[in-house]
């Protein structure tokens, strides 16, 4: 009897577990159905793609100042017109090539003028005909420079050009001095010998100049910059948050639409609970937000060469925590707003204000200290800092955990308020 | 037939306002039961309590043996609801709507697919199943709205004024659908403020007014309440004064009651033919021109008029 009772208990337990499993399966199917329905409704109009991916990419690109070129040469490009075509003019160009500030690009005068007129060049350097050693020696050499007004890059180019000319001139001066000294001791047998002596002295002076050791050792300080800013990283993270948070706040419009359309009321006459509806709606929007985020991150990695993918787990954690916090906030908003039109306006307003105040458009460090402290109540602030930890500061999972934790606390608070206040009418 | 629904003293109050004042009735398995009453009488609130949307302030009801207050989830599996206002996703196609709602009723896989096809056939929209609902006419949307309520083959179908605001052809189609569903064994609770619909469809009718069930029974039982009376409807011109005529007719011998409805005067009498001449005479005396006269047999309209002193269309 004992063993029969024991078997029977096991059977009952097995059956109840199987029943429980079936129920969970049905609920999961309903959650998926709600999420899928919302996705179809959202993407019914092709214009949704504009807000989902096209505009976010455009804004990210524009605010980042465009994508980097393939070469890593960040020097200021200077079109150079060499009408002299002499050894001296070539030496000046070579000196410019060795510069850390400018990068010479030899072009024709017409091309240089065109670039300058179209403001595609900050400055143009022209070496007219006749600039040779003789001209340098007798001081008649003249060069020209065109520069855009009030242009910082043009100023830098001017200094670089002057430095290059000075270096070439000083080599010539050194060679001339050597010739004079030699002549004072012993006259040259011929002009040819004098010229040969000058040329070898010039070569020697140039070699000495080229081999001259650096006289300044640069030591970079370890004190962090007050403004940690990289336009590309900030634009990528900031635009991602802006364009993903607004539709997530739009969950409020979804609730209003379901209420106004009577579908929520009807839904609750079916064997579907309020919790299933909320889970389906929120998880669907979070899933769409994650897809949108990964597309934007993919764009930033491939087109902007940003290093988002250093720690995929950390990336997933911060993106998920951000999406959950925003979705929960949207759910809470939805319990205060009555109509779909109101909800759309309010969610855009909150999205914009929170993005601005959270440092998504400007570095938070530029804000007054009191504001910097106050905006810690916003989920966008934590989302932005978490993402910058990854893409700007090169952090990993451990670095983003504090921000992710705060975002999950936001999610829990907002979700509790949203669920407790949720009404179907 | 056993009762599928038993409502006991259902009450719903909102602050100081009592929308439903202790409604008690039952519905037998396989019948069409109509709740007839004017707008704001409490029909939708009653259906909302029975479909577990609103918790009753007091009282209870059982549906299929399950209490709406204690076991609402079990009740939801027994009932289907066709709400008064369209409750569909207009950006989805009819098929997508039916699939989604079927999933909400717990259907899935092949049974869902075949049931959706059956319902599309039933509501006559198979060939337009892949069109978005927002492109449909009002009548077609109503049919989808009904179809959603049929997906899980409910034992009891609540239909809350399903013909409001649609063309006569679609209305006819909906009434025929209700009759067909009933023939297939489905029990229907139908609410309406159209006397003709309740008369055409119902096995039994409950008349509801100001949150109270003021009469309940078959049509014969209800019309007997007003006795063997007939109703004379006098249609008068727009510039005439119906109140004056009604007042004058109240004094005519054989007239039990004379009420004004828009540009009509309804006169309840035992035999319309006997008073016809006197009625026309009174109108002529006062210079009121009668455009036409209808004589109606005892009906639910007369019952409502008899019980409330108001016509259904006016309230």
């Amino acid at each position: 009897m004992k063993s029969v009772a024991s078997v029977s208990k096991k059977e009952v337990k097995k059956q109840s577990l199987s029943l429980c499993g079936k129920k969970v399966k049905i609920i999961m199917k309903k959650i998926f159905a709600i999420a899928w329905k919302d996705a179809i409704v959202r993407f019914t109009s092709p214009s949704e793609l504009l807000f989902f991916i096209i505009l976010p990419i455009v804004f990210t690109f524009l605010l980042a100042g465009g994508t980097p070129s393939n070469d890593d040469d960040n020097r200021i490009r200077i079109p150079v017109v060499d009408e002299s075509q002499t050894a001296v003019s070539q030496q000046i160009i070579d000196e410019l090539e060795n510069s850390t500030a400018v990068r010479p690009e030899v072009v024709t005068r017409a091309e240089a003028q065109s670039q300058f007129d179209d403001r595609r060049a900050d400055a143009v350097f022209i070496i007219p005909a006749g600039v040779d050693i003789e001209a340098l020696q007798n001081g008649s050499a003249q060069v020209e420079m065109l520069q855009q007004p009030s242009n910082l890059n043009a100023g830098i180019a001017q200094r670089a050009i002057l430095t290059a000319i000075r270096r070439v001139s000083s080599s010539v001066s050194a060679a001339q001095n050597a010739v004079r000294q030699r002549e004072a001791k012993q006259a040259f047998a011929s002009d040819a010998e004098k010229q040969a002596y000058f040329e070898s002295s010039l070569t020697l002076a140039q070699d000495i100049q080229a081999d001259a050791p650096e006289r300044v050792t640069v030591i970079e300080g370890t004190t962090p910059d007050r403004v940690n800013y990289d336009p590309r990283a900030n634009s990528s993270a900031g635009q991602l948050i802006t364009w993903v948070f607004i539709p997530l706040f739009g969950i409020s419009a979804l609730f209003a639409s379901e209420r106004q359309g009577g579908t929520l009321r009807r839904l609750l006459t079916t064997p579907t609970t309020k919790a299933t509806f909320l889970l389906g709606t929120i998880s669907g929007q979070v899933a769409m937000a994650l897809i949108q985020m990964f597309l934007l991150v993919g764009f930033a990695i491939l087109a902007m060469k940003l290093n988002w993918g250093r720690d995929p787990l950390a990336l997933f954690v911060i993106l998920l925590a951000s999406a959950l916090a925003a979705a929960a906030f949207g759910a809470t908003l939805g319990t205060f707003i009555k109509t779909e039109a109101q909800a759309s306006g309010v969610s855009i307003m909150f999205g914009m204000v929170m993005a601005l105040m959270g440092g998504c458009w400007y570095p938070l460090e530029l804000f007054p200290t009191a504001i910097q402290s106050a905006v810690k109540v916003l989920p966008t602030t934590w989302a932005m800092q978490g993402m910058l930890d990854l893409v700007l500061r090169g952090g990993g999972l451990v670095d983003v955990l504090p921000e992710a934790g705060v975002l999950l606390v936001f999610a829990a608070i907002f979700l509790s308020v949203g669920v407790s206040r949720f009404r179907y009418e | 037939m056993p009762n599928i629904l038993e409502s006991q003293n259902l009450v719903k109050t909102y602050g100081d306002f009592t929308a439903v004042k202790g409604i008690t009735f039952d519905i037998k398995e396989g019948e069409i039961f109509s709740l007839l009453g004017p707008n704001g009488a409490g029909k939708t609130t009653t259906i909302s309590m029975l479909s577990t949307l609103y918790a009753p302030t007091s009282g209870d009801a059982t549906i299929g043996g399950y209490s709406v207050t204690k076991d609402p989830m079990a009740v939801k599996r027994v009932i289907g609801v066709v709400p008064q206002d369209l409750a569909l996703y207009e950006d989805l196609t009819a098929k997508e709507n039916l699939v989604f709602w079927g999933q909400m009723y717990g259907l899935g896989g092949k049974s869902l697919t075949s049931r959706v096809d059956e319902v599309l056939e039933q509501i006559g929209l198979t060939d337009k199943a892949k069109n978005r609902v927002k492109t449909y006419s009002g009548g077609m949307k109503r049919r989808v709205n009904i179809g959603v309520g049929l997906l899980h083959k409910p034992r009891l179908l609540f239909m809350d004024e399903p013909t409001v605001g649609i063309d006569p052809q679609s209305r006819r189609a909906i009434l025929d659908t209700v009759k067909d569903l009933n023939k297939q064994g489905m029990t229907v609770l139908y609410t309406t403020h159209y006397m003709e619909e309740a008369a055409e469809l119902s096995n039994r009718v409950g008349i509801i007014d100001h949150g109270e069930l003021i009469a309940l029974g078959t049509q014969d039982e209800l019309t007997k309440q007003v006795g063997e009376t007939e109703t004379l409807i006098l249609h008068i011109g727009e510039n005439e004064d119906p109140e004056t005529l009604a007042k004058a007719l109240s004094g005519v011998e054989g007239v039990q009651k004379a009420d004004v409805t828009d540009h009509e005067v309804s006169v309840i009498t035992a035999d319309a033919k006997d008073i016809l001449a006197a009625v026309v005479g009174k109108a002529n005396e006062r210079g009121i021109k009668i455009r036409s006269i209808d004589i109606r047999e005892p009906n639910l309209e007369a019952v409502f008029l008899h019980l409330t002193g108001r016509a259904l269309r006016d309230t």
Side-chain angles (χ1 to χ4, degrees), chain B residues 141-172:
Chain B
K141 287 178 184 175
R142 285 274 169 198
R143 281 188 269 161
V144 181
N145 204 36
I146 293 173
V148 168
L150 307 176
L151 280 164
H152 62 303
K153 294 185 179 172
R155 286 172 60 195
L156 172 60
L157 182 66
F158 294 147
M159 301 185 86
D160 191 9
E161 309 217 36
T163 59
V164 170
I166 58 168
D167 59 279
Q169 201 181 345
S170 299
R171 185 181 183 193
R172 183 73 263 150

Side-chain angles (χ1 to χ4, degrees), chain A residues 156-175:
Chain A
I156 294 168
Q158 187 185 359
R159 284 210 299 276
I161 289 167
L162 288 173
T163 305
I165 292 171
R166 203 172 294 130
R167 285 170 75 95
V168 172
S169 299
S170 62
S171 298
V172 171
S173 295

